[in-house]
Amino acid sequence: KAGVTQTPRYLIKTRGQQVTLSCSPISGHRSVSWYQQTPGQGLQFLFEYFSETQRNKGNFPGRFSGRQFSNSRSEMNVSTLELGDSALYLCASSLAQAFGELFFGEGSRLTVL
Amino acid sequence: DAKTTQPNSMESNEEEPVHLPCNHSTISGTDYIHWYRQLPSQGPEYVIHGLTSNVNNRMASLAIAEDRKSSTLILHRATLRDAAVYYCILRDREGGSEKLVFGKGTKLTVNP
């Protein structure tokens, strides 16, 4: 069974640009959640989607947004990038519960210059 | 937000038990306690979770204090593959919404 796939794995952007990251969950998993990991702040929860609806949300500004498609694939978007947005963005999927056993992808590493 | 506090690092020898502590003194009655671990260059991996009672699975045991203000992840026999950063996480429910609140994690070193 294929794991959680995140693309791209690495990307470099400049301040003010926007970025879209993609996450394909494990087949049959309907919940997808996103996390930001930085050396200073550690792991922080961004948001969680289920059945194309944002079900839970962390404490991030509106520049961070996401969506989920009917096949459960999810994307997250960060607009007007800031240097502090440089981070590893992790996606996780689970069967249905928001925070049951989560299966994480390897992450997308974003560098903002 | 509920918070968790973990030691920055711990060291163990192979084949010995490891007890990883976590303090969560502001935990609410509905917060679940989750543990994940992260190996270098990988995403986190689920270890175990619980609410009130002690929990066991093939990977580890979770001992939860009676007042729920602390918990301990127990690896019964550490192996070199257990070297990772271990995160104690609360599933925080507030106003009908849930979120995960991560601690800073404990880096576990396992010596051969």
Side-chain angles (χ1 to χ4, degrees):
Chain A
K1 185 157 135 171
V4 176
T5 305
Q6 292 188 246
T7 57
R9 291 292 314 282
Y10 303 91
L11 67 166
I12 300 173
K13 293 285 188 178
T14 56
R15 276 181 300 175
Q17 287 187 310
Q18 73 163 12
V19 67
T20 299
L21 308 177
S22 180
C23 174
S24 293
I26 291 172
S27 177
H29 284 195
R30 295 172 62 193
S31 169
V32 174
S33 49
W34 289 88
Y35 305 82
Q36 182 195 66
Q37 186 171 30
T38 60
Q41 298 297 318
L43 271 160
Q44 297 184 87
F45 167 68
L46 280 155
F47 30 65
E48 183 252 348
Y49 285 85
F50 178 79
S51 291
E52 302 178 65
T53 301
Q54 186 180 88
R55 185 163 59 173
N56 295 292
K57 188 177 186 306
N59 301 325
F60 277 78
R63 300 186 297 108
F64 292 81
S65 62
R67 58 178 176 167
Q68 186 181 35
F69 303 95
S70 58
N71 61 358
S72 294
R73 191 177 71 84
S74 177
E75 289 181 346
M76 69 161 282
N77 183 276
V78 187
S79 63
T80 319
L81 284 166
E82 300 175 1
L83 296 179
D85 296 333
S86 294
L88 180 68
Y89 290 89
L90 291 156
C91 160
S93 74
S94 66
L95 277 169
Q97 277 189 309
F99 304 116
E101 182 175 348
L102 297 174
F103 293 83
F104 282 83
E106 292 185 304
S108 293
R109 184 164 296 282
L110 170 65
T111 301
V112 181
L113 302 177
Chain B
D1 283 356
K3 276 184 60 173
T4 64
T5 305
Q6 302 176 252
N8 289 334
S9 62
M10 290 186 65
E11 208 166 317
S12 172
N13 296 319
E14 209 175 358
E15 303 287 308
E16 290 184 356
V18 181
H19 290 232
L20 298 164
C22 180
N23 286 318
H24 27 77
S25 57
T26 58
I27 193 171
S28 75
T30 57
D31 288 350
Y32 278 78
I33 303 157
H34 295 244
W35 284 83
Y36 280 76
R37 69 182 186 182
Q38 188 172 24
L39 279 67
S41 302
Q42 293 188 26
E45 173 188 33
Y46 171 83
V47 178
I48 201 165
H49 77 281
L51 182 63
T52 55
S53 306
N54 294 343
V55 185
N56 300 295
N57 66 20
R58 62 174 179 80
M59 285 184 71
S61 296
L62 176 59
I64 302 172
E66 203 169 320
D67 63 5
R68 300 207 332 119
K69 292 185 186 301
S70 66
S71 61
T72 302
L73 178 71
I74 302 165
L75 306 179
H76 296 287
R77 290 180 66 190
T79 71
L80 297 178
R81 289 177 298 174
D82 292 323
V85 177
Y86 286 77
Y87 292 99
C88 171
I89 304 160
L90 295 184
R91 190 165 89 194
D92 189 27
R93 180 171 294 174
E94 185 179 345
S97 181
E98 285 189 301
K99 61 183 177 183
L100 291 185
V101 179
F102 290 81
K104 297 292 186 187
T106 297
K107 184 175 182 179
L108 175 66
T109 301
V110 180
N111 301 313

